[in-house]
Amino acid sequence: MRRSSSPSEFDQPTLSESDGVRYLHFNTEWVQGAMRVKSPAELVLEYTGQMMAWLLFLEPPKEEAIGMLGLGAGSLARFCAKHTRSPLLAVEWNPAVTAAGHMFFRLPGQNRLQVEHADAGAWVADPLNAGRCPVLMVDLYDAQAQGPVRDSVKFYRDCRRVLGEVGVLAVNLFGRHESFGKNIDNLSKAFDDRVILLPEIDAGNQIVLAFSGPRLAVTPAELLGRAAIVEARYGLPARRWARALTAHAVDGVLHL
């Protein structure tokens, strides 16, 4: 199911709630986001935590924004608002999602989070957005919540341009969906094979990181050291991610 030119009845936000967690849907059973009502900044869904794995390689930016393509229930925006001082920017195609976020999901205010209503593909292609977000997290799904709705080589090259000279792209994919292989191929072409995968989680999500800037050569010891800092500072299971990523090391070095 590909995105049409404007939201349809299938793109209207709906809600459910269970065991203290509020969920966002688009008129289907598929979960598009979640918030623990008594702890709004917690990353309830495991894959949203893994989207923050860019912290293993990059500090939160001070002047440029942490970018999010797809707002969902605002989980990443709330987490970043609590744990960083970075400007936050979300590109969301559907104004009804933003409205639901403000009403039901405690989105950060405009002093922390800027929401631009635009198609993500057109937004990253706009030359005015080049270099705007050295961190860009991409989570673009329709009501069926399976393959991403933006996934071409051109789209990923445009994302790379948004990162600027040095940056990290984090993309939420479904490892069990037919689109997975195509996305990995397209990301590899757009980022000159500088792509690394985190392990697939039980729900089927698999987070991919892609890099711009100077080539990196990281030892497992360096990565685990950084992971310990991330885990202590942000409360994320970063050492588990680092141990998984060290499986990609060649001759004791992770080349990215």
Side-chain angles (χ1 to χ4, degrees), residues 10-146:
F10 297 107
D11 301 303
Q12 297 309 304
T14 53
L15 307 177
S16 66
E17 198 163 317
S18 176
D19 297 326
V21 177
R22 185 171 298 155
Y23 296 96
L24 175 71
H25 310 265
F26 292 148
N27 270 328
T28 71
E29 75 277 13
W30 298 106
V31 170
Q32 301 283 346
M35 179 187 75
R36 192 173 305 281
V37 176
K38 292 186 177 180
S39 183
E42 177 185 343
L43 294 175
V44 177
L45 303 177
E46 184 180 3
Y47 89 88
T48 57
Q50 289 192 356
M51 291 285 280
M52 296 296 299
W54 55 266
L55 286 165
L56 291 171
F57 304 95
L58 199 68
E59 289 284 351
K62 294 180 179 179
E63 297 181 0
E64 297 91 353
I66 294 174
M68 292 154 275
L69 302 185
L71 180 62
S75 302
L76 292 167
R78 289 190 301 273
F79 183 87
C80 291
K82 179 177 180 179
H83 292 284
T84 80
R85 296 184 179 181
S86 304
L88 307 177
L89 171 63
V91 179
E92 172 53 51
W93 172 70
N94 188 348
V97 170
T98 308
H102 284 298
M103 292 178 66
F104 302 109
F105 292 98
R106 303 188 196 178
L107 282 187
Q110 292 183 354
N111 62 322
R112 285 307 317 277
L113 173 66
Q114 178 183 352
V115 180
E116 297 191 10
H117 291 119
D119 177 274
W123 190 90
V124 296
D126 187 339
L128 294 177
N129 294 320
R132 195 169 174 187
C133 303
V135 175
L136 192 60
M137 296 182 279
V138 181
D139 192 11
L140 297 172
Y141 287 82
D142 59 20
Q144 301 307 308
Q146 294 186 33

Side-chain angles (χ1 to χ4, degrees), residues 141-196:
Y141 287 82
D142 59 20
Q144 301 307 308
Q146 294 186 33
V149 296
R150 294 290 176 265
D151 58 8
S152 67
V153 175
K154 180 183 184 304
F155 171 73
Y156 289 129
R157 282 180 177 152
D158 289 339
C159 287
R160 182 174 181 172
R161 189 160 49 246
V162 171
L163 295 178
E165 292 185 5
V166 177
V168 183
L169 181 76
V171 186
N172 175 32
L173 300 178
F174 268 113
R176 304 170 194 173
H177 190 260
E178 61 185 10
S179 64
F180 181 77
K182 179 182 73 172
N183 273 275
I184 296 301
D185 288 344
N186 290 351
L187 276 161
S188 296
K189 291 174 183 175
F191 282 84
D192 301 323
D193 295 320
R194 299 181 64 194
V195 173
I196 195 167

